Amino acid sequence: MSVGIDDISFYTSNFCLDLQELAANNGASAAKYTVGIGQDRMSIPGADEDVVTMAANACLPLLEGMAERGEQIDTITSVLFATETGIDQSKAAGVYLHKLLGLSSHCRVVELKHACYSATAALQMAAAMVVRKPAEKVLVIAADIARYERQTPGEATQGCGAAAMLVTTQPRIIELDPETGVHTEDVMDFWRPNYRSTAIVDGKYSTKVYLRSVRAAWQDFQRQSSLLFKDFDYFCYHLPFSRMAQKAHTHLANGHKHHMTEDDLSEQIDASLIYNRITGNSYTAALYIGFISLLDHVADMVGKRVGFFSYGSGSVGEFFTGKLVAGYEAMLHTQRHQTMLADRQPISYAEYVEMYDFQVPTDGGTHDFPQQTNGRFRLAGISQHKRQYEAR
Ligand code: HMG
């Protein structure tokens, strides 16, 4: 039975900070960011944006597509919400989204966590679930806000975004293979204790562990699958920043290159980096926004094979693969993504600092948040410790 992604879209905040502006204010050279880590801009969430609003906004094109095609919303029977920017230790973020989107009361909802990796766990679980009940759809969501201490090396690798995908049998975008390669290893490269709002990171070490994980997950994949490096047309990597994928691809290709030039290797990943360069890291969503970037920038991909490497610090890495199906182009939301990105508002360094410093009040009182997002869904405020969401 064929299983995979039937529809996929993403959303990011409507504010962005140019990294040249960051460089001008923190003493770094702009080239360190634009060349050294390969980032141009990063999305910054406004006060009325969080993982719930970003996720709900990412789901809209999928639900509108279902409505246009006359598909019933109650065929979505599960929501698997992957995030490491949870808003509550107990209640799943997906339950707020369930209400905002008007999903069926018979749809189960759960939140998953393992750093940037958990959306891939959600995708694999969703694939197994729809095999059991082929008439049903599982909505997989990845949504995060990447946040580091200001004036630290991690600061330039912030960003935010959400990706939403419908996982079904007979998918209309990409069929996923059951064989995957996994590497799990207990390391302290990046983590965020419950009492902190920013991650603690051993940056250079984290890039080394990422590379080790790529190689180990690939080796496990080789034990599970007969596919070789030369059987792949494109690769999508977890994208903390775009240079990381370039390094990972060189590292993985080493020993498999045969007749491939540097340009051939670049062509296998370049299109997947375009959105990340201007949105920044979005943790769980980054790999999937990379895949959307590939779909939105390369034509005629029917039958092409894509290799995916998902990485979550701490660490879990998984290599998996799929093939684009005939007619996938009709399911894409390219215009919508590009309009959203083109309409973003560049902010000054001072505005960035103000947004960075905004904290959801913890006093239990009633607070309305300024209207900043352009998205359909927003976090209107908080009252008695209850988040108040609204659809505009
Ligand atoms: P840093 O210390 O600021 O940067 O940290 P650097 O000094 O290593 O420079 C970065 C690169 O820029 C170097 O190139 C420099 O040579 C180059 P490389 O040696 O790596 O090829 N450079 C320049 N290039 C051109 N012109 C110049 C110039 N100056 C320097 N003038 C670091 C960089 C990525 C470590 C930091 O930003 C950081 O800690 N980021 C956060 C952690 C991170 O993103 N780790 C990635 C792997 S872990 C992961 O992906 C998981 C994660 O997403 C979390 C999760 O799973 O939930 C993070």
Side-chain angles (χ1 to χ4, degrees), residues 290-306:
F291 177 48
I292 295 167
S293 183
L294 173 69
L295 294 172
D296 285 354
H297 292 97
V298 177
D300 302 330
M301 295 224 294
V302 175
K304 299 289 187 206
R305 178 167 290 287
V306 183

Side-chain angles (χ1 to χ4, degrees), residues 49-158:
E49 199 87 90
D50 68 6
V51 286
V52 171
T53 63
M54 291 194 300
N57 284 308
C59 290
L60 267 188
L62 276 49
L63 297 191
E64 287 170 9
M66 283 179 68
E68 276 162 26
R69 293 186 299 270
E71 296 163 15
Q72 297 301 314
I73 199 162
D74 61 7
T75 54
I76 300 176
T77 54
S78 297
V79 173
L80 306 184
F81 194 121
T83 185
E84 58 176 304
T85 320
I87 52 168
D88 196 291
Q89 294 285 6
S90 299
K91 182 166 172 168
V95 176
Y96 297 99
L97 167 128
H98 175 278
K99 181 175 176 191
L100 289 173
L101 299 179
L103 299 181
S104 156
S105 60
H106 304 299
C107 172
R108 71 167 68 82
V109 177
V110 70
E111 188 170 312
L112 293 98
K113 179 176 71 190
H114 181 89
C116 303
Y117 165 73
S118 60
T120 300
L123 179 62
Q124 300 298 355
M125 289 175 192
M129 288 162 96
V130 295
V131 167
R132 212 166 159 205
K133 294 194 172 173
E136 300 185 359
K137 298 176 173 35
V138 177
L139 180 57
V140 170
I141 288 161
D144 271 306
I145 297 168
R147 221 173 123 85
Y148 297 91
E149 293 278 332
R150 285 190 43 235
Q151 307 288 343
T152 65
E155 184 177 21
T157 62
Q158 298 178 113

Side-chain angles (χ1 to χ4, degrees), residues 29 31-32 35-36 84 115-116 148 153-154 157 190 201 203-204 206-207 210 238 240-241 243 247 281 283 311-313:
S29 85
K32 174 172 174 177
V35 181
E84 58 176 304
C116 303
Y148 297 91
T157 62
F190 165 106
V201 62
K204 298 233 163 65
S206 74
T207 61
Y210 179 121
H238 165 55
F241 48 91
R243 272 288 287 151
K247 286 185 179 188
N281 196 356
Y283 294 159
Y311 178 74
S313 283

Side-chain angles (χ1 to χ4, degrees), residues 281-360:
N281 196 356
S282 51
Y283 294 159
T284 51
L287 169 65
Y288 298 95
I289 295 177
F291 177 48
I292 295 167
S293 183
L294 173 69
L295 294 172
D296 285 354
H297 292 97
V298 177
D300 302 330
M301 295 224 294
V302 175
K304 299 289 187 206
R305 178 167 290 287
V306 183
F308 297 86
F309 175 67
S310 176
Y311 178 74
S313 283
S315 70
V316 182
E318 183 161 348
F319 188 90
F320 61 102
T321 177
K323 244 186 178 181
L324 275 291
V325 302
Y328 78 94
E329 300 94 331
M331 297 298 288
L332 303 185
H333 304 284
T334 309
Q335 192 55 53
R336 195 160 174 157
H337 297 146
Q338 293 185 349
T339 304
M340 171 182 70
L341 291 168
D343 287 352
R344 284 187 308 167
Q345 183 188 324
I347 53 174
S348 67
Y349 183 75
E351 288 167 320
Y352 153 67
V353 172
E354 196 178 316
M355 285 183 179
Y356 181 98
D357 286 343
F358 175 81
Q359 303 265 358
V360 171

